[in-house]
Amino acid sequence: MADHLDLHTVGDLLHHYPRRYAERGELTRLSDLPLDEHVTVVAQVADARVHTFNGGRGRRLEVTITDGSGRLQLVFFGKGVHKPRAELQPGTRAMFAGKVSVFNRKRQLAHPEFKALGAESGAEAVEAFAHQLLPLYPACKQMESWQIQQAVDTVLGPAGHEEAALAGLVDPLPDSLREGRGLATLPEALRKIHRPATKTDIAMARDRLKWDEAFVLQVALARRRRAEAQLPAAPRKPGPDGLLTAFDARLPFTLTDGQRRVSEEIFADLATDHPMHRLLQGEVGSGKTMVALRAMLGVVDAGGQAAMLAPTEVLAQQHHRSITEMMGELAEGGMLGGAEQGTKVVLLTGSMGAAARRQALLDLVTGEAGIVIGTHALIEDKVQFHDLGLVVVDEQHRFGVEQRDALRSKGKQPPHLLVMTATPIPRTVAMTVFGDLETSVLDQLPSGRSPIASHVVPAKDKPHFLTRAWERVREEVAAGHQGYVVCPRIGDDIGDEGETPKGAAGPSPEDEAEKRPPLAVVEVAEQLTKGPLSGLRVEVLHGRMQPEAKDDVMRRFAAGEVDVLVATTVIEVGVNVPNATAMVIMDADRFGVSQLHQLRGRVGRGSAAGLCLLVTDMPEAGPARARLGAVAATLDGFELSRIDLEQRREGDVLGQAQSGVRSSLRVLAVIDDEEVIAAAREEATAIVADDPELAGYPELRTALDALLDKEREEYLDKG
């Protein structure tokens, strides 16, 4: 039990809650039995016989019961024969519960539950048996649900005497909170969740236990926020006529209202003397990079340096290219022709040549470079900053907690931190996962961005749709545009680890399509060049190429020298080619919802409309097609992230994959329990403000220590 279900103590067992409850069903006369329903009957055994089959190896017990209104057959097989054979002798009166089925045109109950009735058993005993709710526990092959129930029953002791077994429990909820919210006590909640008399009992128990989980987690996060607020940081206020003013003056467009609002929030944080901790979420193309760049320029204005961390080299190079283009001569500080208030913008990646790398490191330590953009090569010990004031992390979900922590330790004082993500996160998830970050949302697209039409292409059911998809790509190229073809894998002869779709669908036995390997860039590019896209300039891009080769392909694609780029998900974030209007995603069912949304954001970045075609071999009725249909139906990333979360296990939500700790949530559903989480956050913030060390709440401290074992505490600390 310990190994397979992670249950080590009596407390673990009591907090291993039933997944659902079975009901035995209404008490029914044998003459009125409905098919396919769970029923309870009271009857007398008329006859019981054992039959053998398979040359004597198989055994079947057939029991006929009667209640005066009709007769019914019960059947038991294999090892399940022994107990009923001993107990169901002719003349025995008993209660039987099971699902009614038909065999040989006769109604029967297979392997029903039963309980013998003594002469004194009255109508009340029968009713209680019929309406009892039977807990079904999350189980595994080594430990069946009924064995877990037996273990729980042993711990709780006889019915009606559970209080003694539950007396020593540590209750994390302060009495004032519990009473004010009208919640059950912990012993009462545990008794009712394991031994409910009614459905109301279950609801009451779950309401109380949800509060435990939400509240303890929010106290942990409130303490993190408070500790962060105590840390010193250098305030970074941009001067009136410095770099930021010069940059704004040369912008060829006006910022959106959203960009202005979020920038004000960020500059207000940067002006304080404790570190900013802000999560900036925005749809693909909502202009997050512009907001982050203005924050970095403001920090440089104030005499500090800013570092931007990207998850891949392709993306770091892309950011470096677009930022230096946006800044123009302002990015050439100290160089001939550079602007007087300019600064140096350097790139630092693992694959740079020794001389370029040495120069970049020198520019950082002397303070010559105000802005550095790089991959996790930035975190290496030998990278030293003159005065690091702001760290911007792009696509946080791809970035390890330790890596962010290492970069933060590079400042003389903790630098301000801005985390960006293009995967929209529903508010409750943000409160639960990033509860120690303030959140800003960019929810409008800059003017001039075009809508993207998305369609599912069922290649197996309707092959002519796929033919038409390639025709559409040719039409876009003929109109002077470019396209992407995205595949899940690189190729048979190349190691593919590291570029498999996140959140991809697992194998499902009914789907033939899942049995073949996912389509690969190298093979697909070859087939397209010889077939439907012959005559077009087709190139490949994937994570295993040499950095120079990758950069060369990207540069030529951006310059319009390549018509179609066949790529893995390396293009998922940050690749910006406004002339690319069409995207075909092969084996789209093998990608997660938010990843498809990210990929789709690579098209429609200019004035021409975008087209995204999701190609799949999955059958129409399956969940994979439903998922793709949802992506095709909406461009709202927040709506899609809700769909994504409803389909995934809650454990993924807590980011525990990063920390290697399984989710602590058992009854709290992050999406459904929005109100509980918000209320728990308010209560937690008030308690921590009043008593930061929780000296007056020893039980809460104990619960916190149980939730935040060493590993998880570090995870929250670094998060």
Side-chain angles (χ1 to χ4, degrees):
M1 197 196 277
D3 295 343
H4 297 289
L5 293 170
D6 203 13
L7 304 178
H8 302 272
T9 65
V10 166
D12 290 343
L13 182 64
L14 289 174
H15 289 291
H16 186 73
Y17 310 130
R19 188 178 61 242
R20 59 189 180 85
Y21 300 84
E23 291 181 80
R24 291 198 173 104
E26 290 296 313
L27 186 60
T28 314
R29 281 160 45 94
L30 292 185
S31 54
D32 304 332
L33 289 180
L35 258 186
D36 276 342
E37 283 189 24
H38 288 276
V39 297
T40 295
V41 296
V42 173
Q44 196 160 16
V45 177
D47 184 33
R49 297 169 189 217
V50 174
H51 301 270
T52 56
F53 54 94
N54 269 0
R57 288 197 300 280
R59 296 161 57 128
R60 180 174 80 249
L61 172 66
E62 290 179 3
V63 178
T64 306
I65 58 172
T66 175
D67 68 349
S69 74
R71 292 166 80 81
L72 178 69
Q73 187 145 53
L74 318 177
V75 288
F76 301 87
F77 294 95
K79 290 181 181 168
V81 163
H82 304 307
K83 182 173 184 278
R85 186 181 183 188
E87 296 182 14
L88 298 179
Q89 297 295 327
T92 306
R93 188 165 163 271
M95 302 179 279
F96 303 91
K99 190 174 178 182
V100 183
S101 57
V102 169
F103 181 71
N104 280 345
R105 290 186 294 192
K106 281 189 184 165
R107 295 181 183 210
Q108 68 168 28
L109 298 182
H111 283 277
E113 294 180 77
F114 62 89
K115 187 173 183 184
L117 289 168
E120 70 292 343
S121 299
E124 283 173 17
V126 174
E127 278 295 310
F129 176 84
H131 291 287
Q132 189 185 353
L133 293 160
L134 306 170
L136 298 174
Y137 290 87
C140 61
K141 198 166 72 184
Q142 292 79 4
M143 193 75 182
E144 298 282 2
S145 172
W146 61 269
Q147 293 172 295
I148 296 169
Q149 189 188 346
Q150 278 182 333
V152 171
D153 280 345
T154 305
V155 170
L156 290 178
H161 299 280
E162 294 90 351
E163 274 65 22
L166 299 171
L169 285 173
V170 172
D171 188 339
L173 292 194
D175 289 345
S176 56
L177 186 161
R178 186 177 54 72
E179 286 157 13
R181 298 259 169 199
L183 297 168
T185 63
L186 187 57
E188 187 185 3
L190 289 172
R191 177 174 61 77
K192 285 183 171 172
I193 203 154
H194 290 295
R195 289 180 175 172
T198 62
K199 289 185 176 170
T200 311
D201 280 358
I202 299 169
M204 187 194 275
R206 291 179 72 84
D207 285 348
R208 157 64 213 241
L209 297 167
K210 278 176 186 179
W211 257 92
D212 284 12
E213 292 180 3
F215 178 69
V216 175
L217 187 62
Q218 290 300 344
V219 167
L221 291 168
R223 294 183 75 206
R224 289 274 346 103
R225 284 195 298 277
R226 194 179 179 286
E228 290 292 351
Q230 310 295 318
L231 287 174
R236 310 282 178 174
K237 289 183 188 164
D241 293 311
L243 186 53
L244 182 60
T245 312
F247 175 75
D248 284 349
R250 57 166 299 175
L251 277 181
F253 52 81
T254 54
L255 298 173
T256 65
D257 294 344
Q259 285 175 315
R260 269 199 291 276
R261 185 192 75 246
V262 170
S263 287
E264 280 164 21
E265 292 170 352
I266 290 171
F267 283 121
D269 281 358
L270 290 172
T272 62
D273 53 11
H274 58 82
M276 166 172 82
H277 257 79
R278 193 166 279 281
L279 173 70
L280 171 56
Q281 342 185 26
E283 282 289 0
V284 172
S286 58
K288 292 185 300 298
T289 309
M290 173 60 69
V291 169
L293 175 55
R294 292 186 72 246
M296 294 198 289
L297 295 173
V299 167
V300 174
D301 254 359
Q305 290 170 294
M308 184 182 228
L309 249 63
T312 63
E313 291 212 354
V314 168
L315 193 50
Q317 288 157 351
Q318 179 88 29
H319 276 316
H320 183 253
R321 197 178 303 123
S322 62
I323 283 172
T324 48
E325 278 166 16
M326 283 194 272
M327 288 176 64
E329 71 274 12
L330 295 173
E332 295 165 1
M335 294 187 234
L336 205 57
E340 173 188 356
Q341 55 293 55
T343 187
K344 238 181 175 181
V345 179
V346 300
L347 176 70
L348 188 63
T349 61
S351 63
M352 283 170 72
R357 185 180 174 77
R358 228 181 354 260
Q359 184 59 52
L361 291 171
L362 189 63
D363 289 340
L364 284 180
V365 77
T366 59
E368 188 88 5
I371 294 176
V372 58
I373 294 150
T375 54
H376 37 255
L378 276 179
I379 301 165
E380 289 169 9
D381 290 342
K382 51 180 163 300
V383 180
Q384 298 297 321
F385 290 86
H386 178 66
D387 180 14
L388 180 60
L390 170 67
V391 176
V392 178
V393 178
D394 191 16
E395 286 310 324
Q396 142 5 291
H397 64 280
R398 292 176 157 225
F399 221 86
V401 171
E402 287 75 15
Q403 293 160 312
R404 293 208 303 275
D405 195 47
L407 191 54
R408 261 155 72 179
S409 65
K410 298 238 174 234
K412 292 172 182 160
Q413 290 183 306
H416 299 279
L417 177 68
L418 180 65
V419 171
M420 299 198 297
T421 178
T423 308
I425 306 166
R427 179 173 154 273
T428 37
V429 181
M431 279 181 1
T432 312
V433 183
F434 300 106
D436 55 342
L437 296 177
E438 298 302 321
T439 304
S440 297
V441 178
L442 276 175
D443 47 14
Q444 67 192 111
L445 294 183
S447 58
R449 290 298 301 266
S450 303
I452 305 168
S454 305
H455 303 283
V456 178
V457 177
K460 203 166 187 178
D461 307 350
K462 298 176 179 168
H464 58 286
F465 275 38
L466 185 57
T467 309
R468 177 72 190 120
W470 300 127
E471 284 169 10
R472 284 291 290 113
V473 174
R474 291 194 83 100
E475 286 163 17
E476 290 297 314
V477 172
H481 299 303
Q482 295 159 276
Y484 299 98
V485 177
V486 182
C487 303
R489 274 191 325 140
I490 299 173
D492 284 341
D493 53 335
I494 304 169
D496 285 353
E497 61 279 3
E499 283 199 62
T500 48
K502 271 155 297 312
S508 48
E510 71 276 18
D511 294 328
E512 278 303 309
E514 287 285 18
K515 291 178 184 164
R516 67 164 171 76
L519 293 169
V521 167
V522 182
E523 286 101 69
V524 168
E526 195 179 328
Q527 288 159 14
L528 292 176
T529 317
K530 290 177 180 166
L533 301 186
S534 64
L536 301 187
R537 297 168 297 177
V538 177
E539 294 267 359
V540 301
L541 179 72
H542 56 72
R544 294 294 149 99
M545 289 164 64
Q546 287 303 312
E548 306 79 49
K550 266 192 288 198
D551 204 37
D552 177 56
V553 171
M554 249 352 284
R555 190 187 48 71
R556 288 189 293 115
F557 185 64
E561 296 164 22
V562 174
D563 297 322
V564 177
L565 191 60
V566 184
T568 55
T569 53
V570 288
I571 62 152
E572 179 185 355
V573 276
V575 173
N576 183 24
V577 181
N579 192 43
T581 53
M583 175 176 285
V584 180
I585 302 179
M586 308 302 291
D587 279 346
D589 47 89
R590 306 204 184 215
F591 297 86
V593 169
S594 45
Q595 197 172 29
L596 290 169
H597 182 58
Q598 285 264 32
L599 287 164
R600 169 171 64 184
R602 299 298 116 221
V603 294
R605 298 178 79 82
S607 52
L611 172 70
C612 177
L613 301 173
L614 306 167
V615 179
T616 179
D617 281 352
M618 288 291 143
E620 193 167 3
R625 278 284 281 279
R627 209 168 67 234
L628 296 181
V631 175
T634 179
L635 289 172
D636 181 340
F638 283 89
E639 177 55 32
L640 285 174
S641 62
R642 287 185 83 91
I643 294 169
D644 197 15
L645 285 172
E646 280 158 9
Q647 293 185 343
R648 284 176 4 194
R649 290 189 353 272
E650 206 80 65
D652 305 347
V653 174
L654 264 193
Q656 301 297 4
Q658 278 201 46
S659 69
V661 182
R662 90 191 160 93
S663 166
S664 57
L665 301 190
R666 294 190 173 92
V667 283
L668 191 72
V670 176
I671 288 278
D672 300 336
D673 296 320
E674 209 147 335
E675 283 150 25
V676 176
I677 291 168
R681 181 173 177 146
E682 270 174 44
E683 295 272 13
T685 307
I687 279 180
V688 170
D690 181 49
D691 181 358
E693 292 307 309
L694 305 178
Y697 303 96
E699 293 88 353
L700 178 54
R701 280 228 58 133
T702 307
L704 213 53
D705 293 341
L707 172 77
L708 301 177
D709 50 31
K710 190 86 183 90
E711 198 173 356
R712 211 177 294 225
E713 178 84 82
E714 281 171 9
Y715 172 66
L716 276 178
D717 258 341
K718 292 170 181 172

